[in-house]
Amino acid sequence: LALAAILMNMVAFTVAAVSLHNLTVYNLLAVDHPPDKGRKPNTEEKRRSNDIDMFARRTCQMFCFNPAGVFFTAAYSESLFSALTFTGHAIIARGRYRIMTIQTKRKRSFWIAAALVWGLASCARSNGLFASVWILLVCISDCCSFTQSYFDKKNEIDQPPGDKRHAKSAAIGFALECFWRLIFCTCLASVVIAPIVLH
């Protein structure tokens, strides 16, 4: 039984390292925009891509070869929790990168998948609860960005002075969109919190 626990933790530790690598790569690619899919990358873009991969590898090396690494191979829950937490963040980073480069328009599917993975992480350790705080903070940030873009667009469009009906319907649509985003993020946070509450 102890050998099975150690082997399972070693597999989870490997998954955590791979997820951390993907998380680092996609976060750095989101900061440094890649070239369009239709054309070949130039020399500078290839060099930046190699630098990103090298940085991600070094991040994983520091994660794998650190003094606390002994807890990831022992029969503790740290490796499983790390694997699930990093996987959830990697799903979000990949989704945001794909949305940024217009490879997909399905924004909410990534959040649902990540919330389910984080819910499993909450089953492994109770500090998985903090993923729900991160979800709500991102939701508030998203709503603030949406509000800013709404008012920027509103100021750009010259409306006739008597067109109050259009302004009222636009304001209602804006309020409903913000409300829907808050409800969606609250549901995601509930998925993460539920295993701790029900335990």
Side-chain angles (χ1 to χ4, degrees), residues 39 81 87 114 140 181 185 188:
R39 67 179 180 86
F81 175 74
T87 300
I140 292 169
R181 290 184 186 209
C185 290
L188 293 180

Side-chain angles (χ1 to χ4, degrees), residues 12-26 28 51-69 72 82-83 86-87 90:
F13 186 42
T14 305
V15 172
V18 172
S19 296
L20 180 61
H21 180 275
N22 291 337
L23 169 63
T24 308
V25 166
Y26 282 115
L28 291 174
D51 289 344
I52 286 172
D53 188 60
M54 181 62 68
F55 186 82
R57 285 171 186 252
R58 287 181 180 170
T59 303
C60 289
Q61 287 169 358
M62 286 188 282
F63 171 69
C64 293
F65 302 106
N66 72 84
F72 290 105
S82 298
F86 289 157
T87 300

Side-chain angles (χ1 to χ4, degrees), residues 27-150:
N27 275 335
L28 291 174
L29 282 175
V31 174
D32 188 15
H33 260 286
D36 296 331
K37 273 188 118 181
R39 67 179 180 86
K40 292 182 178 179
N42 58 35
T43 308
E44 179 64 21
E45 287 164 345
K46 283 181 180 178
R47 187 187 64 77
R48 285 200 305 253
S49 179
N50 290 335
D51 289 344
I52 286 172
D53 188 60
M54 181 62 68
F55 186 82
R57 285 171 186 252
R58 287 181 180 170
T59 303
C60 289
Q61 287 169 358
M62 286 188 282
F63 171 69
C64 293
F65 302 106
N66 72 84
V70 64
F71 296 106
F72 290 105
T73 52
Y76 290 108
S77 59
E78 274 81 357
S79 57
L80 180 62
F81 175 74
S82 298
L84 293 170
T85 303
F86 289 157
T87 300
H89 283 290
I91 290 170
I92 294 298
R94 183 172 181 264
R96 286 187 154 192
Y97 171 74
R98 290 187 66 190
I99 291 166
M100 189 180 296
T101 54
I102 319 175
Q103 295 178 29
T104 184
K105 293 183 179 179
R106 295 179 298 175
K107 297 181 180 181
R108 293 188 172 91
S109 60
F110 298 106
W111 283 101
I112 294 169
L116 292 173
V117 173
W118 285 330
L120 293 174
S122 296
C123 292
R125 288 179 71 86
S126 59
N127 51 355
L129 172 73
F130 291 108
S132 62
V133 178
W134 187 80
I135 290 173
L136 293 175
L137 287 174
V138 170
C139 175
I140 292 169
S141 172
D142 193 29
C143 284
C144 290
S145 299
F146 180 69
T147 304
Q148 182 66 41
S149 64
Y150 168 78

